[in-house]
Amino acid sequence: MKITNITLYPVEPRWMFLKIDTDEGISGWGEPVIEGKAATVAACVREMSDYIIGKDPRNIEDIWQVLYRGAFYRGGPVTTSAISGIEQALWDIKGKYYNLPVYEFLGGACRDNIRVYCWVGGDRPDDVGNAALEQKKLGFNAVKMNGTEELHYIDSFSKVEATCARVAAIRETCGKDFGIAVDFHGRVHKSMAKVLAKELEKYNLMFIEEPVLSENYEALEEISKHCSTPIALGERLFTRWDFKKIFEQGITDIIQPDLSHAGGILECRKISAMAEAYDVSVAPHCPLGPIALAACLQMDACTPNAWIQEQSLGIHYNQGSDLLDYLKDPKLFDYKDGAVGLLKGPGLGVEINEELVKEKAMKGHNWKNPVWRNADGTVAEW
C-alpha cells in the first residue's frame, strides 16, 4: 500500500482537515492546525508531502522520524502540528486496513470511558454560574473557564476578586462535587498568579491551567509552592523533549499535550508514559474539531493516567460550525453522565461528512487571535 495524495480543507470555525489517500482506496483523516496560523501549517504539510507520497502509510514510526529528524531545524508549533495531522491520518488508514481502532495497536483498552468537561464563559468570562448549571443539566459534571481578562504585571486586586466571584457562582449553583477548572491562559504574570492561585484555593478546584506561560519554569516552581491546587499545563509544549524539563522539575500535576500540536497520537502516548513514571496525570488539550477529539479518545482508551478529556462542543470559538457538524453520525460521541465511551470503529473511529467538508472549505476561514492591550497601551497576553 502506498500514499498517493494529500488534500487539505480549511473549515470553519478555525480548523484544518487533512485527507491522505492510498492506492488501495483507503483514506485517512487528520487535523493539522495551529489556531490562528492554519495556512502556515498547511504550507508545512504540503512541504512534507514530498517525503510521504509513495510511502507505505503503515510505517508510522519511520515516517514520523523522517518528518521530525529529517529536518535540520525541528520542533516548534508549526512543524509538530503538521506532523501531528499527518500522523493521525496514517493511524486512521492503518486502523481501517486492519479493521481495528487505533488503541488496539497501542496496548488495547484499559478503560470503558473517559470523563469530559465543557467550556463556559468565553474569552471575557461572564455569567458562568448559570452557564455551568446548564451544562450540569445536560449531564456534564465538570467545566473549565477563563479566569481573567487582561492582567498587567501588577494589577488591581478587584480583578482577582472578580475571578473568585465567578468561581463562587459556579460552586454555589452546581454544588461541592462539581468539577471546576480555571484557565489562567498564560495571561497572568508571576506576581499576580501567586495571588490569584492562593485566593482560589478555597473553592477546591480540579486544577488551575497555565498559571504562567509554560516557558517560565522558575515561576511555575514558585507558584506551585503557594497553593495546593493541582497545576495543569502543556498545550504549548511540543514533543517529549519539551515535556522532559517539566517532569524533571516536578512543577506540574497534570499535563495537557495537544494531539494536533505535540506530535500526534503515538508521540503523546509516549509523553503520557513519561508522565506516568513521574506520577503525573494526563488531560489532553482539545479545543478543536472532531478528528482531533477522535485522536484524543483513541489515546485516552489505552492510557491509564488519562483522567479527563477537553472537548469543544459549544465552545465560544465555534462560530459557524460546531464539533458534531462534520460527522456523518453526530451521535458517535456518546456523552453520558459526564463521560464519553470508547470509539470502537476502525482507525480513528469517526466518519467524516466529506461533502460538507468540501462545501465549507470553499469558504474557508481566516481566524486570528485577538490582540489585547492593558490600560496603559502595552500589549497584554491573550
Side-chain angles (χ1 to χ4, degrees), residues 85-368:
I86 292 170
E87 194 256 15
Q88 292 167 1
L90 297 180
W91 276 115
D92 198 26
I93 292 168
K94 186 164 189 169
K96 290 172 180 175
Y97 182 84
Y98 291 105
N99 197 32
L100 291 170
V102 170
Y103 63 77
E104 292 289 6
F105 298 95
L106 302 177
C110 65
R111 66 175 74 247
D112 299 320
N113 56 51
I114 183 81
R115 190 182 183 191
V116 294
Y117 65 84
C118 299
W119 268 87
V120 293
D123 265 344
R124 298 180 181 275
D126 186 33
D127 197 22
V128 289
N130 286 329
L133 185 59
E134 287 301 312
Q135 297 298 336
K136 185 177 181 180
K137 290 177 180 177
L138 291 173
F140 295 99
N141 56 37
V143 297
K144 187 167 77 175
M145 57 174 280
N146 277 315
T148 70
E149 300 181 307
E150 301 92 338
L151 271 184
H152 221 317
Y153 282 84
I154 303 293
D155 214 319
S156 167
F157 188 70
S158 64
K159 293 185 179 181
V160 175
E161 290 179 316
T163 298
C164 291
R166 289 189 287 267
V167 174
I170 298 177
R171 183 59 72 216
E172 289 166 8
T173 57
C174 296
K176 66 183 182 67
D177 293 324
F178 191 78
I180 307 171
V182 176
D183 191 352
F184 288 29
H185 218 250
R187 296 173 181 172
V188 187
H189 297 281
K190 179 178 69 173
S191 301
M192 296 303 297
K194 290 189 294 184
V195 176
L196 192 53
K198 183 179 179 181
E199 293 297 319
L200 287 171
E201 262 194 307
K202 58 181 173 286
Y203 299 106
N204 300 312
L205 302 177
M206 286 196 303
F207 57 83
I208 56 174
E209 181 174 335
E210 277 196 320
V212 293
L213 293 170
S214 298
E215 57 262 36
N216 292 332
Y217 301 106
E218 66 292 332
L220 284 163
E221 187 173 6
E222 185 175 349
I223 291 164
S224 69
K225 296 175 182 177
H226 281 79
C227 72
S228 60
T229 306
I231 292 175
L233 58 88
E235 68 186 70
R236 288 187 264 196
L237 298 177
F238 313 103
T239 76
R240 71 203 95 141
W241 291 280
D242 270 8
F243 280 88
K244 181 168 65 171
K245 189 171 183 178
I246 294 290
F247 295 138
E248 289 172 348
Q249 292 191 342
I251 52 180
T252 187
D253 305 286
I254 305 159
I255 58 161
Q256 300 171 298
D258 190 309
L259 276 71
S260 279
H261 300 333
I265 297 171
L266 182 56
E267 181 65 13
C268 288
R269 182 64 189 91
K270 293 175 181 179
I271 292 166
S272 299
M274 293 170 66
E276 187 179 6
Y278 284 91
D279 204 23
V280 170
S281 63
V282 182
H285 181 254
C286 190
L288 295 170
I291 302 169
L293 179 57
C296 288
L297 295 177
Q298 293 295 330
M299 190 195 80
D300 292 333
C302 58
T303 304
N305 53 329
W307 70 283
I308 199 166
Q309 176 62 58
E310 181 175 26
Q311 52 85 45
S312 70
L313 186 63
I315 197 171
H316 49 287
Y317 303 119
N318 292 0
Q319 303 297 318
S321 296
D322 210 335
L323 177 67
L324 306 179
D325 293 351
Y326 293 105
L327 296 178
K328 284 187 177 179
D329 180 9
K331 297 179 181 178
L332 197 61
F333 295 135
D334 183 20
Y335 297 106
K336 185 177 180 181
D337 299 327
V340 172
L342 304 188
L343 299 177
K344 297 182 179 180
L348 295 180
V350 294
E351 287 190 75
I352 300 300
N353 184 341
E354 190 169 355
E355 293 306 312
L356 180 61
V357 168
K358 289 178 178 178
E359 177 187 328
K360 291 284 191 176
M362 295 293 290
K363 178 181 178 182
H365 68 85
N366 190 32
W367 189 90
K368 293 289 186 289

Side-chain angles (χ1 to χ4, degrees), residues 67-85:
L67 297 180
Y68 184 78
R69 297 180 187 272
F72 185 79
Y73 299 100
R74 61 186 63 167
V78 172
T79 299
T80 54
S81 295
I83 293 174
S84 296

Side-chain angles (χ1 to χ4, degrees), residues 44-45 47-52 60-75 79-80 82-87 90:
C44 189
V45 171
E47 290 175 340
M48 289 178 175
S49 68
D50 292 339
Y51 294 93
I52 67 172
I60 297 171
E61 181 68 46
D62 183 67
I63 291 173
W64 194 98
Q65 295 289 337
V66 167
L67 297 180
Y68 184 78
R69 297 180 187 272
F72 185 79
Y73 299 100
R74 61 186 63 167
T79 299
T80 54
I83 293 174
S84 296
I86 292 170
E87 194 256 15
L90 297 180

